[in-house]
Amino acid sequence: MTAATEESKLKCAGFRCIHCGWRISRLFMQYSPGNIRLMKCDNCKAVADPYIECEFMIIFIDLILHKTKAFRHLLFNMLDLEKIDIKGIVLKAGLMYFILDACRLSLSISRNGAQDASRSSLVFTWTALKVLLDVLLGNFVFVSVLWTGIRVILKLNYYMPRYIEILLAVLVSSYFKMFLLVMMVWDFPPAAIFIVDIFVLSSNTVALRALTQLGTSTCIGLLSSAHIAKLLAFEWLLH
């Protein structure tokens, strides 16, 4: 497949069949209020998106279970990447992502030992500035590695909307980071931080696979490289 063909295919970000990823024009036909008929996919002949009739809690459970169908529904049919203000959502999701990363770094710093109480205000200010700088630089490394890998693998040019869509998929699939807020209140073993990191990596992999149709091993390798680069940046900056 040529680069031009691949880029033309990637620009088609409308409704998709959650089973095979085929583009469809509509998800359902509405005859009257409350009376709809779900459309079938022309490619696989299955109902394109049965999640339309499901409660959000069912969708959320399937997201936790890492089902590719649930991520396709979320990214293509629920968010509708062609029509939403994707930049605004990315900025809000990115802000939350930075806050949760700051929580992770704060937990790592707090486990390195207690600080001198007589210098608590100075230490707090310095720690806050250091965490902010570390989060910004660490995520800059993460995005740089991820976008470079995507550009090489998919042979994209500088089609920025596509990179933003991939970034959005990574951000919304990092919901396991919310457990870090709980860890700020209750004590957890240090290994719990890395367990959260593993779940975030696996969820990011499924979301990237649902969005790009890449193989599982390719997505794992790409995201593992980006996450490892970010963790190494964190460790280097912390020490």
Side-chain angles (χ1 to χ4, degrees):
M1 183 178 293
T2 64
T5 304
E6 181 67 25
E7 185 167 341
S8 176
K9 175 183 175 183
L10 293 175
K11 288 180 181 179
C12 298
F15 296 133
R16 299 292 180 92
C17 171
I18 65 172
H19 304 284
C20 64
W22 194 261
R23 183 183 173 99
I24 57 176
S25 59
R26 61 173 62 186
L27 299 174
F28 60 89
M29 183 80 71
Q30 183 171 2
Y31 298 103
S32 61
N35 182 18
I36 64 173
R37 179 172 67 88
L38 300 182
M39 306 301 293
K40 290 187 177 182
C41 174
D42 294 332
N43 183 49
C44 65
K45 308 304 179 184
V47 174
D49 191 353
Y51 281 117
I52 293 175
E53 297 182 323
C54 296
E55 297 290 338
F56 178 75
M57 185 56 64
I58 296 177
I59 301 172
F60 184 67
I61 291 173
D62 282 353
L63 290 173
I64 294 176
L65 294 175
H66 289 18
K67 291 188 177 181
T68 305
K69 298 176 183 179
F71 279 100
R72 284 201 183 109
H73 168 78
L74 174 65
L75 295 172
F76 290 114
N77 303 338
M78 189 173 176
L79 292 179
D80 193 359
L81 298 177
E82 280 189 335
K83 298 179 180 179
I84 63 172
D85 179 16
I86 189 170
K87 292 183 179 180
I89 294 180
V90 166
L91 288 175
K92 294 176 183 177
L95 178 61
M96 179 59 67
Y97 189 90
F98 287 158
I99 292 174
L100 295 175
D101 261 356
C103 291
R104 184 193 184 283
L105 278 177
S106 298
L107 289 169
S108 299
I109 292 174
S110 64
R111 294 181 186 278
N112 288 337
Q115 304 291 344
D116 187 357
S118 62
R119 301 172 57 200
S120 58
S121 59
L122 179 61
V123 169
F124 175 80
T125 303
W126 167 245
T127 301
L129 292 174
K130 186 175 179 62
V131 166
L132 177 61
L133 179 63
D134 290 357
V135 168
L136 291 176
L137 292 181
N139 281 286
F140 175 78
V141 172
F142 174 80
V143 172
S144 299
V145 173
L146 178 63
W147 281 7
T148 300
I150 288 293
R151 184 173 184 273
V152 171
I153 293 174
L154 294 181
K155 299 180 180 178
L156 291 176
N157 294 322
Y158 293 99
Y159 182 58
M160 187 53 64
R162 184 55 179 174
Y163 291 105
I164 295 177
E165 289 173 7
I166 292 172
L167 182 59
L168 176 62
V170 172
L171 291 175
V172 299
S173 62
S174 298
Y175 50 84
F176 276 103
K177 282 181 175 286
M178 290 188 294
F179 288 102
L180 294 170
L181 295 176
V182 179
M183 296 171 62
M184 297 288 289
V185 180
W186 288 287
D187 290 332
F188 285 85
I193 298 177
F194 296 99
I195 293 174
V196 171
D197 290 340
I198 291 173
F199 274 111
V200 170
L201 173 60
S202 61
S203 182
N204 289 165
T205 299
V206 179
L208 184 62
R209 181 173 177 270
L211 187 68
T212 63
Q213 305 289 347
L214 291 172
T216 302
S217 58
T218 302
C219 294
I220 291 175
L222 180 60
L223 286 163
S224 295
S225 300
H227 278 286
I228 291 173
K230 184 172 78 169
L231 290 177
L232 290 176
F234 281 166
E235 291 301 321
W236 179 73
L237 291 169
L238 284 175
H239 297 290

